[in-house]
Amino acid sequence: MSKPKIGVIGIPGKWSTEVLADRLEAQTGFRAVIDMNQVELCLDSQGLMYQGLDLTTLDGLIIKKISEVYSPATEDRLRLLSYAEQAGVRLFSPTHSVGNLINRLAGTLALQHGQIPMPKTRVTENLELAFETVRAFGSAILKPLYSTKARGMIMLTQEDSDEFVRNALEEYRQLQSIYYIQQTVNLDGRDLGMVFVGGEYVCTYARVGNEDSWNTTINSGGRYEGFEPDAELIELGRKAQACYDLSFTTVDIALTDQGPVVFEVSAFGGFKGALEGCGVDAAEVYADYVLKEVAKS
């Protein structure tokens, strides 16, 4: 019986993409890192091509990273991949699941439907309503609908003048279609990333921020540490990720003085936090899971 051929949709040269391809190649002897920028859908010949490789002939495709920056164009890339999915290729995660998380509002509504505790959040196109919300929240963060790693987010505090807040809102609206406003919570300098593979809990790591940034992302100088959650917190993470059908994800959780809240569930999730914070090779765990699932097909 021939070994399965699994391609990795990702960013060539990026560690998380390459390490996943490494783990798959070690078990199957096949390696394909696919840059969506170079993919062509050929409807006349019914192929989804990447450098001479027809992706519809593969046994599976793992969407590790579909683009460097989220945008409406990312959803177009998912539509291309759905062609391979419809042709019988297993997608990890399924395109409809990833699509629900590319847009922050869609992801938030799924969590709300699942009754997952989140920071107070309001969404509107209206500047005056946005201004009233910021003032009512005291301290708030404007979050673009399409962004990762806190890119494009703006923090407004109760110390900011009315004029400053209005100007910030006006400038923000020039770049964004809608105001997504979330009340800040006391992170105590950290938040958590809870890792799940195939819906099963793997580990939890903490992202610890530095004093120069309001967020804890590694891009802003944060670092990873291990964290041991209790059963109740793991169940919250499990319930949050169950709002979607994801093969691999991290659930972002904050511990606040009013109890834990979920910021978001990642469409893809990273490997470095699990490795550096927990000592777990999540890429290997994920590769093992995918190969077992493909073998069942």
Side-chain angles (χ1 to χ4, degrees), residues 36 66 71-82 102:
M36 287 301 298
I66 199 166
S71 72
T74 305
E75 296 170 319
D76 295 334
R77 291 183 170 187
L78 285 173
R79 293 185 184 96
L80 291 181
L81 289 176
S82 71
I102 295 298

Side-chain angles (χ1 to χ4, degrees), residues 149-150 153 187 208-210 212-222:
K149 302 184 186 301
M153 295 185 186
L187 294 179
V208 182
N210 64 34
D212 298 325
S213 176
W214 59 266
N215 69 72
T216 62
T217 64
I218 304 306
N219 279 3
S220 298

Side-chain angles (χ1 to χ4, degrees), residues 229-249:
D230 59 24
E232 186 176 356
L233 194 61
I234 292 174
E235 185 55 32
L236 172 61
R238 191 188 311 279
K239 186 178 177 182
Q241 63 86 38
C243 294
Y244 315 92
D245 176 23
L246 297 165
S247 307
F248 181 94
T249 188

Side-chain angles (χ1 to χ4, degrees), residues 33 50 70 74 83 94 99 123 126 141 172 187 193 241 275 277:
V33 173
Y50 176 73
Y70 289 0
T74 305
Y83 185 84
V123 184
N126 186 274
I141 301 173
Y172 189 81
L187 294 179
Q241 63 86 38
L275 185 62

Side-chain angles (χ1 to χ4, degrees), residues 41-109:
L41 175 59
C42 304
L43 292 175
D44 54 324
S45 58
Q46 298 185 331
L48 187 64
M49 307 303 299
Y50 176 73
Q51 297 182 352
L53 174 65
D54 186 351
L55 303 186
T56 68
T57 65
L58 299 181
D59 298 291
L61 285 166
I62 302 178
I63 309 176
K64 181 60 198 79
K65 191 72 172 177
I66 199 166
S67 60
E68 283 276 19
V69 180
Y70 289 0
S71 72
T74 305
E75 296 170 319
D76 295 334
R77 291 183 170 187
L78 285 173
R79 293 185 184 96
L80 291 181
L81 289 176
S82 71
Y83 185 84
E85 200 169 31
Q86 292 165 8
V89 181
R90 285 287 302 274
L91 267 287
F92 302 90
S93 297
T95 57
H96 74 273
S97 300
V98 175
N100 285 337
L101 285 166
I102 295 298
N103 180 292
R104 189 181 305 278
L105 180 55
T108 296
L109 293 177

Side-chain angles (χ1 to χ4, degrees), residues 67-278:
S67 60
E68 283 276 19
V69 180
Y70 289 0
S71 72
T74 305
E75 296 170 319
D76 295 334
R77 291 183 170 187
L78 285 173
R79 293 185 184 96
L80 291 181
L81 289 176
S82 71
Y83 185 84
E85 200 169 31
Q86 292 165 8
V89 181
R90 285 287 302 274
L91 267 287
F92 302 90
S93 297
T95 57
H96 74 273
S97 300
V98 175
N100 285 337
L101 285 166
I102 295 298
N103 180 292
R104 189 181 305 278
L105 180 55
T108 296
L109 293 177
L111 289 175
Q112 286 292 296
H113 183 72
Q115 298 182 320
I116 304 300
M118 296 184 68
K120 289 183 180 179
T121 304
R122 296 181 187 174
V123 184
T124 183
E125 294 182 33
N126 186 274
L127 187 147
E128 286 304 318
L129 291 175
F131 176 80
E132 292 172 10
T133 292
V134 171
R135 281 315 188 206
F137 282 175
S139 181
I141 301 173
L142 302 177
K143 296 186 174 184
L145 296 191
Y146 298 94
S147 74
T148 60
K149 302 184 186 301
R151 295 185 182 96
M153 295 185 186
I154 297 174
M155 187 178 199
L156 298 172
T157 71
Q158 57 189 2
E159 286 79 23
D160 295 326
S161 68
D162 286 355
E163 181 181 8
F164 181 89
V165 170
R166 286 186 183 279
N167 288 339
L169 290 171
E170 289 175 358
E171 291 178 7
Y172 189 81
R173 193 65 169 82
Q174 298 301 313
L175 300 174
Q176 306 297 333
S177 62
I178 201 167
Y179 296 109
Y180 178 108
I181 309 166
Q182 200 162 74
Q183 188 176 42
T184 59
V185 295
N186 183 9
L187 294 179
D188 193 26
R190 69 177 179 180
D191 66 346
L192 308 177
M194 191 173 287
V195 182
F196 291 85
V197 175
E200 297 298 320
Y201 173 73
V202 177
C203 67
T204 300
Y205 56 86
R207 283 177 295 254
V208 182
N210 64 34
E211 297 179 355
D212 298 325
S213 176
W214 59 266
N215 69 72
T216 62
T217 64
I218 304 306
N219 279 3
S220 298
R223 68 182 189 278
Y224 296 118
E225 291 183 355
F227 184 87
E228 291 295 333
D230 59 24
E232 186 176 356
L233 194 61
I234 292 174
E235 185 55 32
L236 172 61
R238 191 188 311 279
K239 186 178 177 182
Q241 63 86 38
C243 294
Y244 315 92
D245 176 23
L246 297 165
S247 307
F248 181 94
T249 188
T250 56
V251 181
D252 290 347
I253 300 176
L255 303 179
T256 78
D257 52 6
Q258 298 180 2
V261 295
V262 173
F263 282 137
E264 63 182 9
V265 176
S266 171
F268 312 110
F271 299 145
K272 192 158 288 186
L275 185 62
E276 295 184 4
C278 309

